[in-house]
Amino acid sequence: MTCLETLQAYAFRSLGYGERLLPRSDFTLCDQFVLIGSGLLWNIYFGLLAIVAGFFFANALAVAKTSARPWLRRPANGFIFVFRGSPLFIQFFFAYFLFLSLKSVSPVFNLLSSAWMGALIVLFLNTSAYSAQIFYGALCSIPKGDIEAADAYGMSGWVRFRRIMWPTAMRLAWPAYTNEAIFLFHATTLVFFSGFPAWRQQGDALYYANYFADKTFNPFVPYPILAFYFILLTLVVITVFGGINSYLNRHLPRDRRQKVKVRPQLIR
Amino acid sequence: MRPAIFSFCSDPASLDTVRWLTCYLSTGKHMAFYMSFATVLLLLAITAPLALAFGFGGAIAARAQFAPLAWLGKGYIAIVRGVPDIAFFLFFVIALDQGVEWLRHQVKCPDWDEPIRQGNDFIVCSVAKMPLNSAPQWMHEIYGFTLAVLTFAIVFGAFAANVLYGAMRAVPRAQVETAEAYGMNRHQSFWRVLVPQMWLYALPGLSNLWMVLIKATPLLFLLGVEDIVYWARELGGSKTPQFTDYPHPDWRMWYFLALLIFYLAFTKLSEVVLDRITRRLSYGQATVAGAAQRKGRGKGPGTGSGNEKTEGTPA
Amino acid sequence: MKSLLLGSAALAMTASFALADTVRLGTEGAYPPYNFINDAGEVDGFERELGDELCKRAELTCEWVTNDWDSIIPNLLSGNYDTIIAGMSITAEREEIVDFTQGYTPPSPSAYAAMSADVDLEGGIVAAQTATIQANHVVSTGATIVEYPTPDETVAAVNAGEADAVLADKDFLEPIVSSTEMMFVGEDVMLGDGIGMAFRESDAELRGKFDAAIASMKEDGTLNDLIVKWEVGGTW
C-alpha cells in the first residue's frame, strides 16, 4: 500500500469508516502516522466538547461558590473538592461502573456506557471543577475599585455582574484557563486507557499507539509519534486561547495587556 | 500452608462474616496492598524535592545568557509539558533503563565486540546489567522504583521549571536593582536576593504541582511499580474458589472506593499544610497578602484560590 | 535415553557456568490457572510449578518477576528478565520477535462463554483481552470486538451485559463457567500452536536448556501430571 492508499483506508478508521481490519503486518511509518492521527480525532472531540460545555457549568459553579447562601455554596464546594481531589483515572473507573449499573435500571441510560457519551460526561464534570476553581479565584481577585465604580454608576445585581465582574474575572482567569484546556486535552488519553472499552477497534490516539507498540514490540516509534501530535495540538490550543485573550484585553493599553503565559497551574 | 496472622483463619469457608473479613483483609496479598500505600508516599516524598531540583536547573538554564543552554532549558520545558504524561511514561522508563545500561556497558566492557542491538534485542555484557541478574529481587525492585522516581522527577521537573522561571521574573525588578546598587555582582544578587524572594511567587504554582503529582500516582503501575492501583485491581477482581481460600465476586468497586478516600484525605491534608506554609512565607513580604498580615486581617492566598492571583499579576 | 542425555548436558553446563546468573522468569500474575497471585501475594499456578521444576532440572537458580501483559515482550527484549512464562501462545507474529521453546501445553482450544446459549457469535459483540490471539480472531470473524486491558474485565463485561460473549483460552474460562451462571457457547476455536516459553533471539543457549528440560518432563510424564493437576486442557 502506498501512503496515499493508507490515508484513504485509515484516515477515519477511528470513527468507523474505511478499512475494517487494522494493519496486521509490515507496519510502515505511514501506517502509524495515519492511524494515530485518526485516533487524535477522538481526543479533539472529547477535549473540545468538554471545554465548551464545561465553561458554562464552571461559571455557574464559581458563582455558586462565592454565594453567601450555604445551600448553594456547600454543594459547589463539595463538587469541586471531590473532582479536584481525586485522580481522573479513578473517576473514569467509577463512572464506568456507575453507568453500567444505571444501564440495568433503565434502557434510557444505554448511551452512557459507551465512551463517546460516558467519558465525555466525566471529562466535562472534571474540567468544570478545575475551571470553576480558576474562575472562583478570579472572581475573588476583581479589583475593589471596579466594583465601587460600578456601584457609583448605579449598577447592581445581574447588570453589575454581567457588565463589570464577569468580563474582568474572565480576563484575570484566562491564562490559567488556557493551561486547563491544554491539560484537558492531555487527559483525554485516559479515556480508553482506564475504564471505557474500545469498540470495533475504534479508539483514540493512545489506543492506536498502544496497538502498534504491541504489534511491533517497539515502543520507541508509536509513542514519540503520539507525542509529536500532542505537541502540535498544544500549540493550536495556545494559539486559539491566545487569540481570545487578546480579544478580552483589547480595551487595555498595550503594555498592560497580559500575555498568555503557559504555566502548569492545573493538571490532574 | 498459607501464613495466616490469626489462628482461626485456617478454614475460611466456615467462618462468620466478621471473622472472614478479618482473615481476608490480613492475607499476605492484602499486606502487599497496604505496603503499596507506603510505596506511593515514599515515591512522593522523594520525587518532590528531586523534581524541584530538576525544575531549578531547568529554570536557570532557560534564563541563561549562553543561548544554547537557554534553548536546552526552554526545549526541555516545552517538550515535556506538551506531551501527555502517560505517553511519556509508556516508553520513557525502558529508554532510561537502556540508557543506564548502555553507559555502564561502555565503562565496564570496553572491549566487547558484539553489537548492543541485535535485531530486536538489546544486549549489554552481563556485568553492565542494572542491577546484576544475580542481585536479589529487592534490588531489582529498588532499581525499578528509582527509575520511576527519575521519570516522575523529569516530567514534573519540567512543570516546576516553568513555575520557577515565572517566579524569578515575578520578583520586582527594583529588588535586584537595589542589590546591584549595594555592589553585589550578578551571582550574588541572584542567590541572595532573587532566589529567597522567588519562593513566595512560586509557592502557589508549586503547591498546585504537588496536588497534580499526587493525582498522577495512579499511573505508577505503568512504570512497573506495583502500586495501589495494581493491587486494587488484582485484589478486587472476581476470584473463583479453585485458586483462593477467599472466593468473591467483582469487588473492584470497594477497593477503588478505598483509593478514592485515600486520595481525597491526602489532598485535604496537603491543602491545610500548604495553606500554613503560604501564610508563613507571606510574612514580611511586599505583597498584598503580606500587607494584609501586617494589618492583622485576612490570611494569605490559599493554595486553591490564590494561584490565579499571581497569575493575574502582569509580570 | 533423552533424559540421560540431558543429565550429562546439564552437568557439562553447570561446569562451564559455575557462576551462572540467576534466571529471571517474567509472568503476568493475572491468568489463573496458568499464573496468578495467591492469597499470600506470591506467584502461583501451573506455570509456577512448571517453571520451578524446569529450573531444577536445568540446574538454574530462578526468580519470579511479574510484569504487565502490555509491555511483557518489550521488557524481555530490553533484558529486564530472561524469559516469559505467562500462558503465551506460540504464534507466527511473535516468532518474528522472540524465540519460543517447544510448547509445554498442546495447542489448546479457545472458547466462547456467554450468559445465554442463543448469542450470535458472528454478528454480536464479543469481548477479548487487548493484544491477544483471541482479539485477532474476533476481528476476523466479523463480530463486533470490544477490548479490555485485563482478562478479568472481559468476563465482567459479559456479566454486566456489555458484551454478548467472551473469547478466551478455554482453560481460563473453565473455572469461571463452573462456578458462575456463564456457559460455553458455540464451537471451540483452535488458535496458536500451544503455549511456550519465550526468549530473546540472542539467548539460544538458555532457551536450549529450558527446551531440554521441557522435553524431559514430557518424557517422564511429570508434565502431564501437572497439566492434570491444574486442569489446563489436554495432556501430551
Side-chain angles (χ1 to χ4, degrees):
Chain A
M1 251 205 276
T2 66
C3 199
L4 195 66
E5 284 165 356
T6 309
L7 195 68
Q8 283 168 345
Y10 290 119
F12 295 101
R13 177 63 179 78
S14 63
L15 307 180
Y17 301 103
E19 199 70 33
R20 184 187 159 92
L21 291 178
L22 295 181
R24 294 286 192 90
S25 55
D26 305 325
F27 307 96
T28 60
L29 260 185
C30 177
D31 288 344
Q32 308 206 14
F33 261 103
V34 171
L35 259 175
I36 295 174
S38 165
L40 197 69
L41 294 175
W42 277 109
N43 298 92
I44 295 172
Y45 160 84
F46 283 126
L48 205 62
L49 288 194
I51 281 277
V52 171
F55 179 78
F56 295 100
F57 188 41
N59 269 297
L61 276 173
V63 173
K65 195 174 155 90
T66 53
S67 167
R69 290 178 210 121
W71 59 269
L72 260 179
R73 195 179 64 234
R74 294 230 175 92
N77 273 335
F79 177 87
I80 293 174
F81 176 66
V82 168
F83 276 91
R84 286 182 81 235
S86 62
L88 184 63
F89 187 89
I90 289 177
Q91 290 169 20
F92 271 129
F93 177 86
F94 272 104
Y96 186 61
F97 248 61
L98 178 74
F99 292 158
L100 272 189
S101 38
L102 279 179
K103 202 172 153 182
S104 56
V105 175
S106 152
V108 179
F109 299 109
N110 270 353
L111 283 182
L112 288 178
S113 63
S114 48
W116 68 268
M117 190 66 197
L120 182 61
I121 291 179
V122 179
L123 285 168
F124 156 71
L125 294 176
N126 186 281
T127 188
S128 297
Y130 277 85
S131 315
Q133 185 68 31
I134 296 174
F135 294 154
Y136 168 77
L139 281 174
C140 293
S141 22
I142 295 174
K144 217 169 170 347
D146 286 19
I147 295 175
E148 283 165 357
D151 289 340
Y153 274 96
M155 288 186 202
S156 67
W158 172 243
V159 176
R160 187 180 69 176
F161 178 78
R162 189 171 58 84
R163 300 187 54 178
I164 308 295
M165 291 173 69
W166 192 72
T168 310
M170 283 305 112
R171 222 171 52 234
L172 291 177
W174 209 255
Y177 190 56
T178 307
N179 290 304
E180 165 55 19
I182 292 170
F183 295 123
L184 178 69
F185 276 102
H186 289 186
T188 57
T189 51
L190 272 174
V191 170
F192 294 102
F193 203 78
S194 65
F196 289 86
W199 287 76
R200 297 185 194 87
Q201 301 188 310
Q202 297 169 18
D204 75 331
L206 183 66
Y207 172 85
Y208 289 115
N210 225 334
Y211 177 84
F212 285 116
D214 178 70
K215 292 289 174 210
T216 59
F217 305 102
N218 179 4
F220 299 119
V221 177
Y223 294 124
I225 293 178
L226 175 74
F228 164 78
Y229 273 122
F230 266 93
I231 290 175
L232 281 191
L233 189 60
T234 306
L235 286 178
V236 172
V237 173
I238 292 177
T239 314
V240 171
F241 274 70
I244 299 176
N245 188 56
S246 45
Y247 174 79
L248 286 173
N249 287 303
R250 67 195 178 284
H251 61 288
L252 292 176
R254 190 158 290 276
D255 60 330
R256 278 186 54 208
R257 289 184 193 173
Q258 299 175 27
K259 288 235 296 275
V260 168
K261 280 192 256 62
V262 184
R263 292 206 191 144
Q265 294 295 344
L266 298 149
I267 48 172
R268 46 186 67 74
Chain B
M1 284 276 99
R2 301 190 196 289
I5 290 184
F6 302 100
S7 54
F8 53 81
C9 291
S10 51
D11 183 18
S14 64
L15 295 171
D16 58 272
T17 319
V18 176
R19 288 184 161 206
W20 189 90
L21 267 181
T22 318
C23 293
Y24 174 67
L25 291 176
S26 61
T27 55
K29 219 173 175 179
H30 274 88
M31 291 302 154
F33 177 50
Y34 307 141
M35 279 308 291
S36 64
F37 282 91
T39 310
V40 168
L41 293 179
L42 184 67
L43 176 114
L44 284 172
I46 302 176
T47 305
L50 198 61
L52 205 56
F54 273 103
F56 202 71
I60 292 180
R63 278 171 58 92
Q65 281 172 333
F66 179 56
L69 190 61
W71 293 333
L72 192 74
K74 286 180 178 157
Y76 165 58
I77 297 177
I79 290 176
V80 177
R81 290 182 50 250
V83 178
D85 44 5
I86 316 184
F88 217 79
F89 292 162
L90 280 170
F91 72 94
F92 196 70
V93 177
I94 296 185
L96 203 61
D97 179 36
Q98 292 190 352
V100 168
E101 290 189 347
W102 183 82
L103 279 179
R104 280 172 60 95
H105 181 84
Q106 300 299 326
V107 175
K108 300 217 169 186
C109 311
D111 24 88
W112 186 268
D113 49 1
E114 288 172 51
I116 290 184
R117 290 220 164 264
Q118 299 180 13
N120 302 299
D121 303 357
F122 175 83
I123 299 155
V124 293
C125 61
S126 61
V127 287
K129 281 272 191 197
M130 191 67 186
L132 297 175
N133 246 16
S134 55
Q137 179 59 19
W138 62 267
M139 295 258 292
H140 286 272
E141 268 162 30
I142 287 185
Y143 177 65
F145 182 80
T146 313
L147 284 185
V149 166
L150 256 179
T151 313
F152 260 72
I154 289 172
V155 171
F156 285 90
F159 290 100
N162 199 44
V163 173
L164 294 179
Y165 182 72
M168 286 175 189
R169 304 210 316 182
V171 174
R173 178 83 195 115
Q175 296 280 341
V176 180
E177 276 164 7
T178 313
E180 275 157 8
Y182 272 93
M184 291 187 194
N185 61 28
R186 212 179 124 78
H187 185 79
Q188 284 170 323
S189 67
F190 178 77
W191 285 104
R192 296 188 192 173
V193 176
L194 193 72
V195 171
Q197 294 202 34
M198 159 196 93
W199 294 113
L200 178 70
Y201 296 94
L203 196 68
L206 289 181
S207 29
N208 233 309
L209 200 53
W210 167 252
M211 300 292 190
V212 171
L213 182 64
I214 296 173
K215 275 166 262 160
T217 51
L219 295 180
L220 254 180
F221 75 99
L222 289 183
L223 306 181
V225 176
E226 290 179 354
D227 69 333
I228 49 184
V229 172
Y230 169 85
W231 284 112
R233 274 185 172 175
E234 170 60 40
L235 286 162
S238 57
K239 297 277 178 293
T240 47
Q242 285 95 322
F243 309 118
T244 171
D245 293 338
Y246 306 91
H248 61 75
D250 192 344
W251 279 357
R252 280 179 301 162
M253 174 80 118
W254 303 110
Y255 284 93
F256 274 83
L257 194 63
L259 297 193
L260 183 73
I261 293 169
F262 167 74
Y263 277 111
L264 287 179
F266 197 49
T267 305
K268 190 80 206 167
L269 180 76
S270 303
E271 266 181 15
V272 172
V273 171
L274 287 168
D275 223 39
R276 288 226 175 126
I277 298 179
T278 313
R279 250 184 287 173
R280 169 102 15 118
L281 268 189
S282 306
Y283 193 76
Q285 291 282 353
T287 61
V288 180
Q293 266 185 356
R294 272 194 297 283
K295 286 179 193 157
R297 66 180 165 86
K299 55 176 188 148
T303 46
S305 55
N307 41 22
E308 294 78 17
K309 287 178 194 159
T310 342
E311 190 68 55
T313 321
Chain C
M1 196 188 84
K2 224 171 185 176
S3 57
L4 211 116
L5 260 173
L6 175 86
S8 54
L11 233 137
M13 275 185 275
T14 31
S16 58
F17 287 90
L19 286 166
D21 280 338
T22 312
V23 175
R24 292 163 58 78
L25 311 175
T27 192
E28 187 194 9
Y31 204 57
Y34 292 94
N35 57 77
F36 60 94
I37 310 288
N38 66 16
D39 289 336
E42 289 156 359
V43 176
D44 202 342
F46 167 67
E47 281 166 338
R48 171 69 202 248
E49 278 198 37
L50 173 71
D52 286 350
E53 177 63 24
L54 291 176
C55 289
K56 211 164 85 191
R57 291 188 183 217
E59 302 189 16
L60 298 164
T61 335
C62 293
E63 184 117 47
W64 287 90
V65 191
T66 52
N67 196 89
D68 212 33
W69 179 256
D70 270 354
S71 60
I72 206 161
I73 291 185
N75 273 306
L76 171 76
L77 297 182
S78 161
N80 289 342
Y81 32 81
D82 304 305
T83 174
I84 297 171
I85 170 166
M88 184 175 273
S89 300
I90 303 169
T91 62
E93 223 176 15
R94 290 179 181 137
E95 284 277 17
E96 280 174 25
I97 311 286
V98 292
D99 280 347
F100 283 97
T101 56
Q102 54 182 298
Y104 49 77
T105 65
S108 66
S110 299
Y112 289 97
M115 298 300 280
S116 71
D118 56 348
V119 294
D120 178 6
L121 295 178
E122 248 124 65
I125 299 163
V126 178
Q129 186 181 6
T130 319
T132 52
I133 49 175
Q134 284 86 9
N136 272 347
H137 178 74
V138 174
V139 172
S140 58
T141 59
T144 302
I145 185 168
V146 45
E147 291 168 290
Y148 294 85
T150 64
D152 268 350
E153 281 166 293
T154 59
V155 176
V158 177
N159 272 318
E162 267 297 273
D164 298 328
V166 49
L167 180 65
D169 277 334
K170 194 165 186 180
D171 316 323
F172 167 73
L173 292 173
E174 195 88 55
I176 297 165
V177 166
S178 65
S179 63
T180 64
E181 292 158 41
M182 274 189 166
M183 60 184 86
F184 285 120
V185 290
E187 302 266 298
D188 289 354
V189 203
M190 299 303 280
L191 300 171
D193 301 321
I195 293 172
M197 293 171 73
F199 290 85
R200 284 183 291 274
E201 287 178 333
S202 54
D203 233 358
E205 199 168 354
L206 189 64
R207 185 169 65 94
K209 289 186 204 178
F210 277 98
D211 206 42
I214 291 173
S216 90
M217 281 186 75
K218 279 184 186 170
E219 194 88 347
D220 62 14
T222 40
L223 185 56
N224 279 344
D225 295 346
L226 269 187
I227 291 176
V228 171
K229 178 185 170 194
W230 288 98
E231 298 175 7
V232 285
T235 52
W236 290 97

